[in-house]
Amino acid sequence: MAETAVAQWNYKGFDSAGKPVKGVLDAPSESHAIQQLRAKGVIPEKLESKAAGGTGLNREIHIDFLERGPKLKDLAVMTRQLATMVGAGVSILRALSIVESQTQNHKLKKTLVDVTSLVEGGTAFSDALEEHPLIIPPIMVHLIRAGEAGGFLDRSLLMVADNFEAETKLRSKVKAALTYPIVVLFVALGAVALMLIFIVPVFEKMFADLGSELPAPTQLLVNLSHAMPIVLPIAAVVIIAFSIWWGRNKNTLAVRRALDPIKLKVPVFGKLNAKIALTRFSRNFSTMLASGVPILQSLAIVGETAGNQVITDALQGVQEEVRQGRPIGESLASQPVFPEMLVQMVGIGEESGAIDSMLDKAANFYDDEVETMSAQLTAMLEPLMIVFMGGLLGFMIVALYMPMFMVFQSIQNM
């Protein structure tokens, strides 16, 4: 029998105390190397064979704060794979190891390694996922916990995958509606900036030779051109500073309570934002109830995932009324943010004992509404943006040539 070749593996990771460790070990394969590390209590972050040239320019570099976190699509693919394997009788520990080896996103891969290690040590799958709140959404944790308690983990994983895939489609629809106007706006602003920096100064020299007073529109362009060397650096600093501040504070309670009500009232986009929030609420609430999560717990979780603080605050009031024994439909009716149709559907669902099914139908209805509104928004914004861009550039061109027209007119009058 042929002897299995043993390779050397460079590893980096964390010990049981959370301290970073690194070193070299001998193992015939990557899986054996991982098993050795876990036996030592090491959570591997990076593992590569020395024979594969893992030094110098060939070394795979991961800078943690630059690494992109997993998208909802990544989580949907992961949970669907887990559901398929668990449904086929594969143990959750084995399924996690297989999915982890196929995951491309570094942060998700690192999370799965840690989750696998915790599950291997006797921790429940849902509890292990809960240890990573920045990567794993709370709705996923609670749905899986309900599946573990009820003995239908594969079905709860499928519900998670379906929920994430539906949310991904919802976001894609909104992005498709907003991409065109945003691109056109940036192109228009870029064209204006280029004209002010490079073209207007050329015309200004020509106008100086004419010796006559410039028309007001032309003078405005000249003044803007003079201001560009000062305005552009200041604008760049402000945009960068705001982007950093926004990235750190956009999810704080104070910012969300200030901006989220405006999102629901702003012309045109307000209705779209409201439909999106109601779609998320209906779908997530339906999924939670269908998987057996208690109503009060479900209300608390869907409030966090609605994406709008107005909905979150309203659901806190609903949760309190339900706790006091009031029906869900009546509790929703007491909050103005929930439309009459949704309230009626929930009330009918309560009476028939199929509230999760009615919520699912409501989610599909609002999802169709979002798709229709997105298409209408795109159709409306396309000509408006074309007119805006044409008008802006047309104004600049006319303003630049106005002095010439005046000179020609003066010559004709002589």
Side-chain angles (χ1 to χ4, degrees), residues 43-60:
I43 301 171
E45 181 188 21
K46 179 180 171 186
L47 182 67
E48 60 188 5
S49 171
K50 292 185 73 173
T55 60
L57 294 177
N58 291 324
R59 180 176 294 170
E60 186 180 4

Side-chain angles (χ1 to χ4, degrees), residues 51-73:
T55 60
L57 294 177
N58 291 324
R59 180 176 294 170
E60 186 180 4
I61 299 173
H62 292 293
I63 304 174
D64 219 32
F65 71 91
L66 292 180
E67 284 285 343
R68 177 184 64 83
K71 295 181 179 179
L72 216 54
K73 185 177 180 180

Side-chain angles (χ1 to χ4, degrees), residues 180-182 184-185 188 267-269 376-393:
Y180 179 81
I182 290 173
V184 171
L185 179 62
V268 182
F269 292 98
Q376 292 174 345
L377 192 62
T378 303
M380 180 182 68
L381 287 176
E382 282 184 11
L384 288 177
M385 294 305 296
I386 291 172
V387 170
F388 167 75
M389 188 173 181
L392 188 60
L393 296 178

Side-chain angles (χ1 to χ4, degrees), residues 203-319:
F203 277 83
E204 185 183 3
K205 292 178 182 178
M206 294 171 53
F207 301 152
D209 297 334
L210 298 176
S212 59
E213 186 177 348
L214 295 176
T218 310
Q219 188 61 53
L220 174 62
L221 291 184
V222 171
N223 293 339
L224 288 174
S225 178
H226 291 165
M228 288 304 284
I230 300 173
V231 171
L232 279 181
I234 293 175
V237 171
V238 169
I239 291 171
I240 293 171
F242 177 76
S243 299
I244 295 172
W245 177 89
W246 180 252
R248 293 176 178 175
N249 296 279
K250 64 181 179 180
N251 292 321
T252 59
L253 190 59
V255 171
R256 291 188 63 186
R257 281 196 168 149
L259 291 182
D260 285 359
I262 299 174
K263 290 180 182 179
L264 299 181
K265 295 177 182 178
V266 67
V268 182
F269 292 98
K271 289 184 178 180
L272 179 62
N273 288 326
K275 302 282 187 188
I276 292 169
L278 291 172
T279 301
R280 286 175 177 154
F281 160 73
S282 302
R283 179 179 295 115
N284 292 340
F285 197 18
S286 170
T287 305
M288 298 290 286
L289 293 178
S291 59
V293 180
I295 289 178
L296 289 175
Q297 191 176 353
S298 297
L299 286 169
I301 296 165
V302 297
E304 297 174 8
T305 59
N308 192 287
Q309 191 61 37
V310 176
I311 301 287
T312 303
D313 291 342
L315 285 174
Q316 288 178 353
V318 171
Q319 189 178 2

Side-chain angles (χ1 to χ4, degrees), residues 77-88:
V77 171
M78 179 195 77
T79 49
R80 191 164 292 281
Q81 289 175 334
L82 287 173
T84 302
M85 286 186 280
V86 171

